[in-house]
């Protein structure tokens, strides 16, 4: 998407918010996601007057943050969110926590009451004065940079610092707190505008660490690469593939990084961790070296692999050290991959034989009329455009998609595992679709839909090319299965009465293409129809709350169900070494 820069004077005075909007546009920002209010309305006024940034009003500030997050993950540019003071500001925190944990570049512009009212009973006061809490202390733990702009003339210095902090390693949110009178103030501009905030300089790789990694890999007969989200952040897919060819390595991916390596490549071993494939553990047991690329290997990515990891030499390339011991080459991942490849013999050995990412055995569904996950995901795979983006929400449906659905070859496959908040995908998918113009699939359960699914309204308002696929099992089914398998029985709290989501959405949005898919064939037809349209589409299908997803803590119970036809078991879970996650 191309942008133009608004024509503002470079000398004299200008409203602070006009300068702010112009600087965002000059830095390549295309959209301002948020929810308005009295203490942020001046910024929205400047955005409309400037005519360059596209304002997108969300239904909830959490989803506004995830829109900025989805925009950032798919464009590798800064995502920007704006919200007013009080409850609006506080609603940003969960989304910023996800961006912080997942290293996503987001700038939050947060309105505050006028400075003259702070400490004097101002409505929504969070100045830290006269018994009010301090918003800086709330946002600081979930940001790389947080500042209150108390002097209007400080903004030309604080804004570049905030943008640079959000995009430096490790990436994450930056927060600027903007009192209303400061937004309205006029600031004096220098005769020449400074250059946009520079990206962080690439630091030189440590020579000794590089030599150690290269020596280890040269001496290895079999190598398993586990690649993470850092590969996407660094735009290093080509470098990863080149190193894998040079090593003749198997390549696995973490759950949040399915798109960093071609899932149909013969070298692809599958997904590592608790939503992953047994073949990854088998390859790890056969490997001499495990090479981590762009992942710290958190528990979701290494669940079930700790014993095998303890018996293999681990080397790690990336900006941050891994959670497992090994030889570490820190620094820019793209440069590290290139440097290591350059130190290896110029050959391309064949990848050792392996079974590939075979799906875990599925437990039989027990409710008539439900569409099994495997059939539903196969329908999604058949319809998914190769350049589409996919955003996968938390829960049983998410575990099924991570395990079963190959990533599109030229699109992102995003799973928000930083905080794992339900409902993340609705805003994130909209942000990605608006920022890139590409068809974007949101795969979510009914629990996630009831949290933030009314962002469908935002998609309709902006004609966003998003296809929402809702796997409705009328339950928080993963919670119910945990109760059944790990706590001695289902309590019933997480099982709900039947809801016809498709009928409700169709009634609320008459212009929206809505389908209640009774089976996988109708699901595929609806998805293809949505692909052909220019705007949003919505599909809901019924699933079984007792269907066991491909989730490692449930695997012993799925295996028991496969043997006996039901998941009940009298064995103590501790006897089966159940992996506890979440």
């Amino acid at each position: 998407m191309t942008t133009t820069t608004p024509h503002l004077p470079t000398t004299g005075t200008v409203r602070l918010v006009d300068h702010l909007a112009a600087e965002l546009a000059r830095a390549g920002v295309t959209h301002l996601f948020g929810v308005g209010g009295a203490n942020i309305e001046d910024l929205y006024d400047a955005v409309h007057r400037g005519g360059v940034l596209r304002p997108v009003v969300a239904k909830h500030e959490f989803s506004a943050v995830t829109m900025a997050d989805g925009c950032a993950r798919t464009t590798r540019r800064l995502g920007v969110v704006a919200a007013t003071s009080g409850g609006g500001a506080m609603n940003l925190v969960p989304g910023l926590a996800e961006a912080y944990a997942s290293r996503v570049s987001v700038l939050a512009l947060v309105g505050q009451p006028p400075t003259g009212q702070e400490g004097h009973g101002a409505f929504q006061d969070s100045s830290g004065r006269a018994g009010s809490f301090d918003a800086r202390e709330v946002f600081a733990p979930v940001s790389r940079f947080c500042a209150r702009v108390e002097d209007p003339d400080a903004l030309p210095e604080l804004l570049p610092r905030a943008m640079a902090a959000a995009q430096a390693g490790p990436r994450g949110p930056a927060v600027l707190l903007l009192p209303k009178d400061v937004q309205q103030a006029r600031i004096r501009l220098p005769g020449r505008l400074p250059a946009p905030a520079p990206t962080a300089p690439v630091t030189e790789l440590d020579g000794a660490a590089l030599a150690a990694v290269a020596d280890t890999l040269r001496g290895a007969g079999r190598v398993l690469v586990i690649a993470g989200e850092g590969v996407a952040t660094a735009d290093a897919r080509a470098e990863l593939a080149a190193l894998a060819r040079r090593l003749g390595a198997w390549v696995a991916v973490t759950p949040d990084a399915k798109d960093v390596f071609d899932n149909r490549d013969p070298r692809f071993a599958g997904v590592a961790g608790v939503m992953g494939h047994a073949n990854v553990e088998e390859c790890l047991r056969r490997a001499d070296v495990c090479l981590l690329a762009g992942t710290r290997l958190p528990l979701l990515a290494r669940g079930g692999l700790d014993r095998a990891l303890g018996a293999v030499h681990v080397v790690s390339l990336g900006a941050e050290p891994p959670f497992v011991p090994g030889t570490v080459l820190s620094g820019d991942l793209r440069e590290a991959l290139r440097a290591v490849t350059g130190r290896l013999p110029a050959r391309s050995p064949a990848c050792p034989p392996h079974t590939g990412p075979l799906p875990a055995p599925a437990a039989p569904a027990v409710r008539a009329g439900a569409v099994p996950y495997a059939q539903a995901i196969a329908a999604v795979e058949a319809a998914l455009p190769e350049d589409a983006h996919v955003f996968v929400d938390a829960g049983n449906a998410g575990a099924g998609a991570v395990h079963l659905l190959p990533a599109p070859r030229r699109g992102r496959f995003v799973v928000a595992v930083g905080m794992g908040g339900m409902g993340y995908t609705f805003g994130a998918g909209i942000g990605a679709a608006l920022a890139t113009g590409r068809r974007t699939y949101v795969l979510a359960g009914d629990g996630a839909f009831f949290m933030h699914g009314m962002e469908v309204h935002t998609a309709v308002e902006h004609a966003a090319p998003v296809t929402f696929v809702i796997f409705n099992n009328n339950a928080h089914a993963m919670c119910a299965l945990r109760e059944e398998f790990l706590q001695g029985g289902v309590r019933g709290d997480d099982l709900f009465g039947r809801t016809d989501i498709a009928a409700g959405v169709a009634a609320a949005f008459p212009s929206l293409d809505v389908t209640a898919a009774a089976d996988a064939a109708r699901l595929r037809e609806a998805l293809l129809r949505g692909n052909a349209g220019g705007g949003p589409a919505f599909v809901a299908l019924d699933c079984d709350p007792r269907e066991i997803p491909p989730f490692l803590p449930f695997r012993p119970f799925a295996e028991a169900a496969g043997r006996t036809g039901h998941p009940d078991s009298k064995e103590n879970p501790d006897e089966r070494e159940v992996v506890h996650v979440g």
Side-chain angles (χ1 to χ4, degrees), residues 132-143:
S132 65
F133 71 88
D134 190 339
R136 287 173 295 190
E137 295 182 358
V138 174
F139 288 110
V142 292
S143 64

Side-chain angles (χ1 to χ4, degrees), residues 243-311:
L243 178 56
R245 286 193 300 270
R246 186 66 59 90
L247 290 169
W250 302 298
V251 180
V253 295
T254 58
D256 58 339
K258 284 200 76 171
D259 57 54
V260 302
F261 191 81
D262 186 352
N263 292 187
R264 297 165 182 84
D265 190 291
R267 303 181 191 279
F268 184 60
V271 178
V274 298
M275 292 173 274
H277 300 95
N279 181 58
V280 175
E281 181 180 3
E282 176 61 25
C283 290
L284 183 58
R285 293 186 184 280
R286 295 167 58 194
D288 302 305
V289 173
C290 177
L291 170 63
L292 307 181
T295 177
R296 304 182 73 188
L297 213 63
L299 184 58
L300 282 180
R302 75 173 191 273
L305 301 178
D306 279 316
R307 187 174 297 176
L309 283 165

